[in-house]
Amino acid sequence: MSSYETATRYFEQAANVMGISPNMRKLLRTPQREVKVQVALEMDDGQVETFIGYRVQHDNARGPMKGGLRFHPEVDADEVLALATLMTWKTAIVNIPYGGAKGGISINPRDLSPGELERVTRKFVDEIHDIIGPDKDIPAPDMGTGPQEMAWIMNQYGKYHGYNPACVTGKPVELHGADGRNEATGRGVAILTKALLDRYMAPIKEARVAIQGFGNVGSFAASFLHDMGARVVAISDVSGGIYNPEGLDIPALLKYQSANGSVQDFPETEPMNNAELLAADVEVLIPAAIGNVLTGENAGAVRAKFVIEAANNPTTPEADEIFHEREIIVLPDVLANAGGVTVSYFEWVQNRQHFRWDLQRVRDELDRIMIDSFEKVLTIAREKHIPLRVAAYILGIGRVGRATVLGGI
Ligand code: NAD
């Protein structure tokens, strides 16, 4: 099943509970614009390489469209469309005034030099600058991109449209970025993991946690959970994983990773591959890397009681069904990883007001929005006796649907 078919399946589950008409479903599902562009550049060795870049703008009923930019070899039109739709529901679930979009370039950033990465990012902006902007569509970091790429986007966009830092979020703190943006998705994941465990009488201090992916989201989620007293026992990245049943020293692992480029061979750990990590003997499993990792084939082997979807689209519908039957609680991506877009919103607000918030204010506002949204989703789930994912979609789709009708079609 493709990523978009998965996203559609989840949308339909909620639409069935809500009793939405077929015509309205089609309107809400259909993206406003899908763009595919050539990104050609001269590599350091003088060769010309041509890549494909995508931007999908799904919906703007509630405000300008918002969504990350992904640099990964598996980026394609279907995945970007699926992720753009998720952004529409996600911004609505946390009730920030945005619609949904997503972009990506099918490249492996690890194969590119810093100069090549800069040229590819600027070239992509050359191709799409007229359809993005602070009141149209605001890119942000996603897998394979970070503050540096966002700085290049701001600079390149400014060459066409003038100085306007609100055209992109996730920028470096020294260049109109927000304190707390880098940590935001991982922090939100940790805050909601604790909130969920509290609700199910599973104290965070007794929880063993396995995390797939130790990039921006996985590393900050690990740090905050470690600070909350959870025992993070397994972590993996693209090259493999590590395990220590007594718990990993996360601050030391962060230093090790930045010195060695990977978590592999961290002292006092056993190797654990990505498949083993998903079936690890833990209470909490956090996929924080790529999509479609929990499938009909491996869902039966998952031993965790809680799956926190830090990555986008990590669970296929087949796996979701198996988790439901096995009473494994899934905190869905559209809620679990919404911390990033929420602090992106704070960054955009600060850029527009030319007024900087301190880190404590960012964290307080983020925690409040995450917990409020979680409580609303939990209430819907309990009232209707439905899984958290369906409840989250009902909250998001309801808000987008009402805005669409009120605004006029
Ligand atoms: P990142 O590039 O910083 O890190 C990705 C991590 O996943 C790395 O540790 C990498 O080694 C690992 N990885 C890549 N391919 C893998 C594979 N095949 N198997 C196992 N591990 C693999 O990316 P990120 O920003 O941390 O994003 C991770 C996920 O979270 C993505 O699904 C992204 O869409 C989602 N997300 C990110 C943000 C954000 O603010 N960065 C916000 C919401 C959702």
Side-chain angles (χ1 to χ4, degrees):
M1 182 178 287
S2 75
S3 297
Y4 183 62
E5 282 167 347
T6 298
T8 304
R9 177 88 76 94
Y10 291 144
F11 169 87
E12 292 294 339
Q13 278 176 356
N16 288 342
V17 178
M18 298 167 84
I20 299 179
S21 72
N23 291 355
M24 191 66 186
R25 288 182 199 211
K26 191 171 176 190
L27 174 66
L28 291 174
R29 271 200 328 254
T30 308
Q32 295 208 345
R33 181 190 271 148
E34 292 177 89
V35 174
K36 182 175 170 185
V37 295
Q38 178 204 72
V39 186
L41 75 148
E42 192 178 322
M43 308 299 278
D44 292 347
D45 63 5
Q47 297 288 321
V48 172
E49 281 285 352
T50 305
F51 304 104
I52 302 294
Y54 305 88
R55 189 77 189 167
V56 174
Q57 299 176 328
H58 175 247
D59 192 275
N60 66 355
R62 301 180 62 260
M65 292 168 280
K66 187 89 188 80
L69 176 65
R70 176 175 288 200
F71 287 178
H72 193 273
E74 280 161 33
V75 164
D76 61 22
D78 176 87
E79 182 186 64
V80 177
L81 172 57
L83 295 172
T85 19
L86 285 190
M87 286 306 298
T88 299
W89 316 134
K90 191 181 299 183
T91 53
I93 288 163
V94 289
N95 209 8
I96 55 178
Y98 287 139
K102 200 78 177 190
I105 306 179
S106 48
I107 47 166
N108 187 348
R110 287 172 156 232
D111 295 344
L112 270 62
S113 70
E116 290 166 344
L117 270 177
E118 176 172 355
R119 293 199 291 284
V120 91
T121 306
R122 288 185 186 277
K123 193 67 196 285
F124 185 57
V125 176
D126 289 342
E127 300 300 330
I128 64 160
H129 70 88
D130 52 348
I131 60 160
I132 61 172
D135 293 313
K136 291 183 190 167
D137 175 3
I138 308 123
D142 191 75
M143 201 154 60
T145 60
Q148 177 60 78
E149 286 75 17
M150 303 306 117
W152 291 326
I153 292 174
M154 174 187 141
N155 183 273
Q156 195 67 9
Y157 178 86
K159 289 179 185 172
Y160 293 97
H161 302 279
Y163 165 82
N164 204 330
C167 69
V168 59
T169 60
K171 300 178 294 293
V173 175
E174 303 82 351
L175 195 70
H176 309 287
D179 280 314
R181 170 62 185 89
N182 221 13
E183 67 179 34
T185 309
R187 182 179 175 86
V189 166
I191 295 280
L192 290 197
T193 301
K194 182 174 181 310
L196 186 67
L197 264 60
D198 284 349
R199 285 308 181 107
Y200 287 87
M201 307 293 179
I204 190 88
K205 286 189 189 324
E206 288 166 25
R208 292 166 302 161
V209 181
I211 304 180
Q212 183 186 54
F214 202 57
N216 174 278
V217 179
S219 66
F220 278 110
S223 291
F224 284 112
L225 285 165
H226 180 79
D227 292 349
M228 289 170 179
R231 197 159 23 122
V232 182
V233 297
I235 286 193
S236 66
D237 59 27
V238 69
S239 29
I242 51 169
Y243 176 69
N244 179 343
E246 302 305 319
L248 300 163
D249 179 347
I250 300 299
L253 181 60
L254 285 165
K255 285 192 192 130
Y256 179 89
Q257 189 216 27
S258 68
N260 298 280
S262 162
V263 298
Q264 291 248 56
D265 302 323
F266 181 58
E268 293 172 32
T269 60
E270 304 161 23
M272 177 178 251
N273 67 33
N274 268 290
E276 291 164 344
L277 180 136
L278 297 174
D281 182 18
V282 290
E283 282 69 43
V284 179
L285 173 63
I286 307 186
I290 51 169
N292 298 317
V293 290
L294 294 164
T295 65
E297 273 82 63
N298 64 12
V302 168
R303 284 191 273 175
K305 287 275 155 258
F306 301 92
V307 173
I308 315 292
E309 294 185 337
N312 282 312
N313 248 343
T315 310
T316 66
E318 294 76 21
D320 205 50
E321 193 64 48
I322 294 168
F323 290 152
H324 187 55
E325 281 160 16
R326 295 184 57 211
E327 297 184 358
I328 294 173
I329 311 290
V330 179
L331 191 72
D333 48 9
V334 282
L335 175 61
N337 69 32
V341 72
T342 301
V343 176
S344 271
Y345 165 58
F346 300 159
E347 181 177 332
W348 180 79
V349 167
Q350 292 171 66
N351 291 157
R352 306 199 82 158
Q353 296 185 339
H354 305 281
F355 181 79
R356 182 179 279 280
W357 300 3
D358 65 18
L359 179 60
Q360 197 55 51
R361 177 167 179 194
V362 170
R363 285 180 167 178
D364 290 347
E365 298 270 0
L366 171 66
D367 295 358
R368 182 182 57 76
I369 288 183
M370 293 303 289
I371 295 290
D372 278 1
S373 311
F374 170 73
E375 295 293 346
K376 287 197 172 64
V377 169
L378 201 68
T379 302
I380 296 171
R382 291 201 162 152
E383 280 173 8
K384 297 190 184 296
H385 306 288
I386 51 175
L388 291 172
R389 188 191 311 279
V390 185
Y393 270 71
I394 287 176
L395 182 62
I397 294 169
R399 284 180 172 151
V400 176
R402 282 191 294 279
T404 304
V405 172
L406 287 167
I409 293 161

